[in-house]
Amino acid sequence: AQSVTQLGSHVSVSEGALVLLRCNYSSSVPPYLFWYVQYPNQGLQLLLKYTTGATLVKGINGFEAEFKKSETSFHLTKPSAHMSDAAEYFCAVSGTTSGTYKYIFGTGTRLKVLA
Amino acid sequence: KAGVTQTPRYLIKTRGQQVTLSCSPISGHRSVSWYQQTPGQGLQFLFEYFSETQRNKGNFPGRFSGRQFSNSRSEMNVSTLELGDSALYLCASSPGTGNTEAFFGQGTRLTVV
């Protein structure tokens, strides 16, 4: 069975400050991990993904995440927050069964950026 | 390359009615997945179709059903609507093989009154 835990349903940071959104996963098989962002009344946009290989993954808009197997974590970071980063962020896990696109999502973290 | 298209964007239905939502995936993609998003339950997997066959199914009652056509377009149907079915329904498109991510549409906002 797979699951995802996102710590902190709401996170506030000042513009220019570090963004850190936490995600821990549980998976009985090697996981594929994703971060998606959702703006109001919109669908989900992929920020980055980890499948295999390099554990530090760089995504769009300056975001990156590091896969740490020993900690079962995949935290999302951005060195300097921008007002446009205000949105809801979802961490997701799926199994490595080829072609299975059943994502298990975390409950989401709403990021607020303060001027 | 066109993205994932969901229609309609907004829908208001009455309890007891049924509704059909449509999703056109990215050209060449053969897998379509459906998710329900609510404030209380978050994002929950409904089902996935690949080459016109249901390949995976979530834990939803039989009132929720879907199908996929030969052109990969998919529809989901909810019968005997309940107030709790009010949600944003998201469709995700992917090639269906290999280790690639899913691309989401903008969703259909269903309100049941």
Side-chain angles (χ1 to χ4, degrees):
Chain A
Q2 296 177 309
S3 66
V4 172
T5 301
Q6 289 185 243
L7 294 175
S9 58
H10 292 81
V11 170
S12 294
V13 300
S14 298
E15 192 173 20
L18 171 73
V19 175
L20 170 60
L21 305 182
R22 300 178 185 274
C23 172
N24 287 88
Y25 70 91
S26 172
S27 179
S28 56
V29 297
Y32 292 161
L33 294 160
F34 307 84
W35 275 99
Y36 282 87
V37 62
Q38 185 178 37
Y39 298 98
N41 293 317
Q42 297 294 317
L44 302 176
Q45 180 184 8
L46 181 72
L47 282 175
L48 47 81
K49 65 178 180 180
Y50 169 79
T51 53
T52 57
T55 56
L56 182 61
V57 180
K58 294 187 182 300
I60 63 171
N61 301 338
F63 285 94
E64 63 182 37
E66 186 172 9
F67 171 64
K68 291 187 176 180
K69 185 178 179 181
S70 61
E71 298 178 8
T72 60
S73 69
F74 191 57
H75 302 329
L76 181 72
T77 61
K78 181 175 181 177
S80 177
H82 190 272
M83 297 298 288
S84 61
D85 294 328
E88 190 155 22
Y89 293 79
F90 293 92
C91 181
V93 64
S94 73
T96 52
T97 303
S98 178
T100 298
Y101 289 90
K102 177 181 179 180
Y103 287 6
I104 305 300
F105 283 92
T107 51
T109 297
R110 190 170 298 278
L111 177 66
K112 186 175 182 179
V113 182
L114 307 171
Chain B
K1 198 173 188 180
V4 181
T5 303
Q6 290 190 245
T7 56
R9 286 292 312 277
Y10 301 92
L11 207 48
I12 300 175
K13 289 288 188 178
T14 304
R15 256 185 316 175
Q17 288 186 312
Q18 74 165 9
V19 67
T20 299
L21 312 181
S22 179
C23 173
S24 292
I26 292 170
S27 178
H29 284 190
R30 296 161 62 193
S31 168
V32 173
S33 302
W34 289 89
Y35 292 81
Q36 182 196 64
Q37 185 177 26
T38 60
Q41 299 298 317
L43 281 153
Q44 293 187 289
F45 174 80
L46 280 155
F47 30 65
E48 182 212 0
Y49 285 86
F50 176 74
S51 294
E52 301 180 65
T53 300
Q54 188 179 86
R55 185 160 67 172
N56 218 328
K57 188 176 187 306
N59 297 322
F60 277 81
R63 299 185 297 107
F64 292 82
S65 63
R67 60 177 175 170
Q68 186 179 34
F69 302 96
S70 58
N71 62 357
S72 293
R73 188 178 71 86
S74 177
E75 291 180 346
M76 68 163 282
N77 183 275
V78 187
S79 63
T80 319
L81 284 165
E82 301 176 0
L83 295 179
D85 297 332
S86 295
L88 181 67
Y89 289 88
L90 293 167
C91 161
S93 160
S94 54
T97 58
N99 307 327
T100 58
E101 67 274 17
F103 296 86
F104 284 80
Q106 291 192 304
T108 294
R109 172 76 62 185
L110 172 65
T111 302
V112 182
V113 297

